[in-house]
């Protein structure tokens, strides 16, 4: 594969329409988010960054990259193009040309190989190569930005396989890779980095490769579960959706004998603002013994705060019916106004899935001595701890990335399959427990 002549192919994926791709490989790049992650996504100083912006036609370092070569710190790096795609600088030979040829082959417009056509579903879309006008010899892979559609993207990079070195690695390279994480062969995967949005503090927590290397067989489950915690609750809907997507990738690997992958990763991305798109609250009934809490109703404006809750009507018996269209991260204002004084009260929530016509119904009754600040975690649990069989309720992406060490083969990729199966087991244990 690496020996074929390289070509700046025009892939089947095409180019982003009008230069504004709706893409999927790195991130949106908010300035405040970049500042919040000094460990994993540190950007160059203003002067250096400004110079690069001018030299690279408006491209900037990817602000929330969690692993890999960092632009401005390493020889290579990842940039964000103004059209919304991400640019991965081609590595020196043979790794860079090998990765470019992999993308060219998979996304060849004349490709009719069913194995490769299905593989496209699990990769970022590929838009050929790009070079800055001021440095035509610098080549970048132009890829879909997997995180672009997310408001608060939570991102985790997990290297998959029992070996992080390829069959042609020198003895020195093998020793170097094994010493980085001796448990790789036994566990089958390694967390390279993660970035998690916490609803409770409206901030990001980041972990780098040293965090992943510190995980043992006994602590790896808890170490990965950190990625799925919102600060209030465990996002079981995200875990369930992630398992489903990893299982699809596993099915592809078990059915192909063309390629073996080394030092390749899975990129996990989900919406951190806790707004499952296909699940919404059909109706909420707040019932207070003896009547509606004082101050809860004020012409309806309290329940319409931040457009998160929309009042349908109020009744004489003290019940308030409302529909919630978005997540619960803005419930603070409602809770503050409604329960600024302590009440002996009962909160009843009836949650219906209007999208799937009674596929899932549940009722949760929360009784508290004082609803004075603890109602938020309880409400979060209703949305975040969804049944495991509702796998499409969360907006989740799982994509394969990093292909500098992909080689032709005539056997199954047992090392990668081993890693996927172990990862699925860990995710399932987190979900079940």
């Amino acid at each position: 594969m690496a020996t074929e002549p390289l070509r700046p192919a025009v892939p089947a994926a095409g180019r982003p329409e009008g230069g504004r791709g709706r893409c999927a490989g790195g991130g949106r790049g908010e300035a405040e988010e970049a500042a919040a992650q000094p460990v994993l996504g540190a950007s160059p100083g203003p002067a250096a960054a400004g110079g690069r912006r001018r030299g690279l036609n408006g491209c900037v370092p990817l602000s929330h990259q969690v692993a890999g070569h960092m632009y401005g710190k390493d020889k290579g790096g990842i940039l964000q193009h103004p059209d919304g795609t991400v640019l991965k600088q081609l590595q020196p030979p043979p790794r860079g040309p090998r990765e470019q040829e992999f993308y060219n082959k998979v996304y060849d417009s004349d490709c009719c190989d069913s194995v490769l056509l299905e593989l496209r579903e699990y990769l970022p879309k590929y838009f050929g190569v790009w070079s800055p006008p001021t440095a035509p010899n610098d080549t970048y892979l132009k890829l879909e930005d997997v995180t672009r559609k997310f408001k608060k993207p939570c991102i985790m990079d997990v290297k998959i396989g029992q070996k992080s070195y390829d069959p042609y690695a020198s003895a020195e390279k093998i020793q170097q890779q094994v010493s980085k994480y001796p448990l790789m062969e036994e566990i089958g995967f390694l967390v390279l980095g993660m970035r998690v949005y916490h609803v409770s503090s409206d901030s990001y927590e980041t972990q780098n490769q040293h965090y992943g290397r510190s995980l043992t067989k006994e602590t790896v489950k808890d170490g990965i579960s950190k990625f799925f915690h919102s600060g209030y609750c465990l996002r079981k809907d995200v875990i369930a959706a992630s398992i489903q997507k990893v299982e699809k990738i596993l099915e592809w690997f078990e059915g192909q004998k063309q390629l073996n992958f080394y030092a390749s990763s899975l990129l996990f991305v989900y919406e951190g603002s806790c707004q499952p798109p296909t699940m919404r609250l059909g109706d909420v009934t707040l019932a207070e013994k003896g009547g509606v809490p004082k101050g809860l109703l004020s012409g309806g404006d309290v329940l319409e705060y931040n457009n998160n809750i929309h009042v349908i009507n109020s009744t004489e018996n003290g019940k308030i019916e409302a529909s919630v269209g978005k997540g619960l991260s803005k419930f603070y204002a409602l809770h503050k106004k409604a329960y600024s004084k302590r009440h002996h009260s009962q909160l009843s929530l009836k949650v219906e899935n209007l999208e799937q016509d009674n596929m899932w119904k549940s009722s949760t009754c929360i009784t508290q001595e004082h609803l004075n600040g603890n109602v938020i975690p309880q409400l979060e649990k209703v949305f975040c701890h969804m049944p495991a069989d509702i796998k499409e309720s969360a907006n989740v992406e799982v994509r394969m990335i990093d292909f500098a060490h992909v080689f032709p083969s005539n056997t199954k990729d047992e090392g990668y399959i081993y890693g996927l199966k172990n990862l699925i087991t860990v995710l399932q244990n987190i979900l079940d427990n």
Side-chain angles (χ1 to χ4, degrees), residues 328-398:
L328 299 178
S329 60
K330 301 297 184 180
F331 261 140
Y332 298 106
L334 165 64
H335 177 57
K336 248 179 180 180
K337 289 188 177 183
Y339 297 104
S340 56
K341 297 181 180 180
R342 296 182 176 184
H343 299 280
H344 296 273
S345 57
Q346 185 180 70
L347 174 64
S348 301
L349 296 96
K350 181 182 179 185
V351 184
E352 286 188 348
N353 177 6
L354 299 183
E355 300 287 337
Q356 302 188 18
D357 192 21
N358 299 325
M359 179 177 174
W360 169 53
K361 290 185 179 180
S362 67
S363 297
T364 302
C365 192
I366 306 166
T367 304
Q368 292 177 301
E369 183 70 15
H370 301 293
L371 284 174
N372 63 344
N374 296 324
V375 68
I376 302 299
Q378 300 297 333
L379 291 170
E380 288 279 359
K381 287 179 182 179
V382 175
F383 282 86
C384 296
H385 290 260
M386 294 180 181
D389 60 332
I390 308 300
K391 295 183 180 180
E392 293 299 332
S393 62
N395 193 357
V396 177
E397 292 285 354
V398 179

Side-chain angles (χ1 to χ4, degrees), residues 30-276:
E30 301 172 40
E32 65 273 15
E33 292 179 1
Q37 49 158 351
V39 176
L40 297 181
S43 299
R52 289 192 180 93
R53 285 190 185 95
R54 287 191 294 271
L56 294 177
N57 284 23
C59 300
V60 295
L62 190 63
S63 68
H64 48 238
Q65 182 181 348
V66 299
H69 298 289
M70 303 290 180
Y71 193 87
K73 295 172 61 178
D74 302 303
K75 292 181 179 179
I78 298 182
L79 296 170
Q80 188 169 36
H81 193 277
D83 67 5
T85 57
V86 294
L87 303 170
K88 181 179 181 180
Q89 191 166 12
L90 212 62
Q91 299 178 62
R95 291 171 297 167
R98 189 187 296 130
E99 183 167 30
Q100 180 183 4
E101 195 57 37
F102 168 80
Y103 275 112
N104 285 342
K105 184 172 183 177
V106 174
Y107 282 98
D108 192 318
S109 57
D110 296 326
C111 178
C112 56
D113 186 328
S114 60
V115 171
L116 298 182
L117 291 175
E118 183 184 351
L119 179 58
R120 292 179 184 178
E121 299 177 23
Y122 313 122
L123 312 182
K125 291 183 178 65
Y126 174 56
F127 302 103
V129 295
W130 178 89
S131 296
T134 54
N137 292 327
D138 290 348
T139 304
Y140 293 79
L141 301 173
K142 204 166 191 287
L143 302 167
E144 176 189 15
D145 179 358
V146 185
T147 71
R148 185 170 170 80
K149 65 182 179 181
F150 296 94
K151 181 180 178 184
K152 297 291 184 181
C154 297
I155 308 166
M156 178 170 67
D157 186 326
V158 183
K159 184 183 289 188
I160 304 293
Q162 291 179 282
K163 298 177 180 178
S164 57
Y165 53 89
D166 64 50
Y168 303 98
S170 65
E172 180 183 1
K173 179 68 173 180
I174 293 173
Q175 180 58 36
Q176 178 195 49
Q177 291 298 313
V178 171
S179 64
K180 286 182 178 179
Y181 193 55
L183 286 174
M184 188 79 179
E185 187 169 355
E186 184 174 357
I187 295 178
F189 61 85
L190 167 64
V191 177
L192 294 179
M194 66 174 69
R195 187 169 188 264
V196 190
Y197 176 72
H198 285 175
V199 179
S200 54
S201 59
D202 190 26
S203 63
Y204 282 92
E205 176 186 354
T206 61
Q207 301 290 348
N208 63 15
Q209 58 185 329
H210 300 294
Y211 171 81
R213 291 173 187 167
S214 72
L215 300 178
T216 66
K217 290 184 294 183
E218 292 73 28
T219 63
V220 67
K221 187 185 81 169
D222 291 339
I224 288 182
S225 67
K226 183 188 289 285
F227 174 65
F228 298 101
H229 206 285
S230 70
Y232 279 131
C233 66
L234 189 67
R235 290 291 303 275
K236 288 194 172 185
D237 59 324
V238 173
I239 301 171
S242 298
I243 291 173
Q244 186 184 50
K245 290 180 180 293
V246 177
E247 285 176 338
K248 292 292 292 182
I249 295 174
L250 175 60
E251 287 179 16
W252 181 84
F253 270 91
E254 290 182 324
Q256 70 90 22
K257 296 181 179 180
Q258 294 187 29
L259 300 168
N260 279 1
F261 294 74
Y262 301 91
S264 183
S265 292
L266 290 184
L267 188 71
F268 291 77
V269 189
Y270 72 89
E271 179 53 64
S273 59
C274 201
Q275 298 180 9

